[in-house]
Amino acid sequence: MPDSQPQPPHPSALLLCGARLTDGRTVDVRLGGGRIEAVGTAGSLTAGGVRGGGTRVDLSGYLLVPAPAEPHAHGDTALSAADDGPASYDPHDVQRRVTEAALLQLGHGATALRAHVRVGDVQGLGALVAVERARRSLRGLTELTVVAMPRLLTGTAGADGLAMLRDAVKMGADVVGGCPDLDPDPIGYVEAVLEVASEHGCPVDLHTDAVDPARLARLAAMAGGLRPGVVLGPCGGLSRLPADAVSRTADQLAAAGVTVVCLPQGGCGGADRRGTAPVRLLRAAGVRVAAGSGALRDVSNPVGRGDPLEAAYLLASRHALRPEDAYDAVSSAARAALGLPEVRVEAGFPAELLAVRGDRLTDALSLAYSRIVVHRGRVVARTSAVREYCSSAAAELGLPRQGRGELS
């Protein structure tokens, strides 16, 4: 729990001035030491320090919300759609793609990112080494965690994959995972992953299309009570099952404490891209549902923005979630899926924040062009958009506008 006692200003505090909150208040927010020190009415706080030092950022016209997180990224193959043939697994190429993709998603607001990285087969552990280098270069900008994904884990062919998975954890992989749907023995694959996770105390994150209710029931039974927890995604196949089968599966996943990460923008390699997990039904059953971006301009999806707010927009527009619930799926629920502490715009909570131009959450999910991203209490990314029109109609009607004057 955050410290509820007011804290003295940090010598290098950052003051966010005049921000709008989702409850309609306009406030100043002081950050220091990587946390929110104070929240007060606009004009009531100083930038901190004995001599009034620190930095002020004017957030007039911006909505301030907890920063989103990206729970399902594929940095090792991201941004490779334009390449001739399969994505290069040269370590330099992987490191460049991971870094570029992480910065792209940071610019959208994601201050935490979970990257699923292939290990074994022809890639060996080279991609993991490259991702670890990217992680070190990104330290202080974004929180990058790594899921090791072997292709096979059962039988004679899977012995090397199992050894490689254990080596990956020793080398720094934070999470064990993979795609049991691709193994001849999917249940055996899951058993192997859970065994390695138990040995090392690691979380589990598995790719599955979730088209087999019996297999999911078995998985839920095996995963029940496992700590630090199990994540499944993208589970798009659930949307193609009969309603009664989905309802039973949802109850089993909820009882086991399994989190589902859906991909509203589309699936990814190793999972069917048709359909999105039935988020409303899962949530109604008590399943924690987070949302991610999935493939980002690779061979399985040649387009994509990697934008958490786009995922939230699609959950609201296509799946009829309230804007608040849709944003929760890419912020609070996504952070929980990654094992990160909760963020609120309140004193004592981590200073992981996103400022989006607009007055309310519906604005943020609709036209979130201008953004300011805060990670560990400092501004790490800014995106500014200016729209100009050649007509003065907007001015004549008193409509809000941005720009430096009329276009000629």
Side-chain angles (χ1 to χ4, degrees):
M1 289 296 289
D3 187 352
S4 60
Q5 297 299 315
Q7 299 297 310
H10 191 275
S12 59
L14 176 67
L15 185 64
L16 308 178
C17 305
R20 178 69 69 90
L21 302 184
T22 55
D23 61 11
R25 290 181 294 152
T26 300
V27 299
D28 290 348
V29 180
R30 189 174 63 225
L31 314 177
R35 306 191 78 81
I36 299 173
E37 289 185 344
V39 178
T41 56
S44 67
L45 300 180
T46 62
V50 176
R51 299 180 181 176
T55 303
R56 299 170 64 91
V57 177
D58 184 4
L59 291 186
S60 300
Y62 281 82
L63 182 75
L64 187 65
V65 292
E70 174 52 70
H72 193 114
H74 291 271
D76 56 345
T77 58
L79 309 175
S80 63
D83 296 348
D84 295 328
S88 166
Y89 267 84
D90 175 84
H92 175 76
D93 293 338
V94 173
Q95 183 177 350
R96 177 185 54 79
R97 289 197 302 263
V98 170
T99 303
E100 184 178 353
L103 291 175
L104 174 69
Q105 294 179 292
L106 174 65
H108 291 316
T111 63
L113 174 76
R114 176 174 282 185
H116 297 253
V117 181
R118 298 178 187 180
V119 299
D121 295 333
V122 296
Q123 292 89 10
L125 294 170
L128 179 64
V129 172
V131 175
E132 288 291 342
R133 289 175 183 160
R135 168 155 54 180
R136 288 193 293 272
S137 71
L138 291 163
R139 190 166 293 141
L141 294 175
T142 186
E143 194 80 21
L144 177 63
T145 57
V146 181
V147 185
M149 290 182 57
R151 187 177 184 278
L152 298 176
L153 287 180
T154 67
T156 304
D160 288 343
L162 187 57
M164 199 76 70
L165 180 60
R166 288 191 165 95
D167 288 342
V169 175
K170 295 174 184 176
M171 290 175 58
D174 310 278
V175 186
V176 293
C179 186
D181 298 359
L182 300 180
D183 195 286
D185 180 4
I187 293 299
Y189 188 106
V190 173
E191 289 174 341
V193 167
L194 294 178
E195 179 181 350
V196 174
S198 180
E199 289 173 3
H200 296 275
C202 292
V204 171
D205 196 325
L206 292 168
H207 282 53
T208 179
D209 198 36
V211 293
D212 187 335
R215 187 188 303 167
L216 275 181
R218 180 82 179 275
L219 192 158
M222 291 189 294
L226 182 71
R227 294 295 178 264
V230 175
V231 173
L232 297 181
C235 298
L238 288 175
S239 65
R240 303 191 295 276
L241 295 177
D244 59 340
V246 178
S247 181
R248 286 194 301 272
T249 299
D251 289 339
Q252 292 161 347
L253 295 175
V258 172
T259 296
V260 171
V261 173
C262 66
L263 302 178
Q265 294 112 315
C268 55
D272 197 318
R273 293 192 64 230
R274 295 175 297 159
T276 300
V279 293
R280 294 184 67 189
L281 190 153
L282 291 168
R283 284 172 53 89
V287 178
R288 176 188 289 137
V289 179
S293 299
L296 177 60
R297 302 180 215 165
D298 64 15
V299 68
S300 64
N301 184 7
V303 298
R305 300 188 183 104
D307 186 352
L309 268 62
E310 182 183 35
Y313 157 78
L314 291 171
L315 289 177
S317 64
R318 293 186 181 177
H319 299 276
L321 262 63
R322 296 186 314 128
E324 295 79 8
D325 294 334
Y327 189 73
D328 178 83
V330 300
S331 56
S332 296
R335 287 183 62 84
L338 301 186
L340 297 172
E342 181 182 15
V343 174
R344 298 181 192 171
V345 188
E346 299 177 13
F349 283 86
E352 303 290 322
L353 302 168
L354 172 63
V356 184
R357 186 170 290 280
D359 291 332
R360 54 188 64 86
L361 198 54
T362 51
D363 297 343
L365 300 189
S366 301
L367 294 170
Y369 297 133
S370 296
R371 308 184 192 187
I372 298 173
V373 186
V374 175
H375 174 52
R376 295 184 180 176
R378 71 186 187 104
V379 174
V380 292
R382 292 175 183 261
T383 301
S384 180
V386 175
R387 174 172 288 169
E388 300 177 298
Y389 299 96
C390 63
S391 169
S392 61
E396 292 172 358
L397 294 173
L399 298 176
R401 60 190 290 273
Q402 289 181 295
R404 294 175 293 274
E406 290 190 9
L407 296 176
S408 58

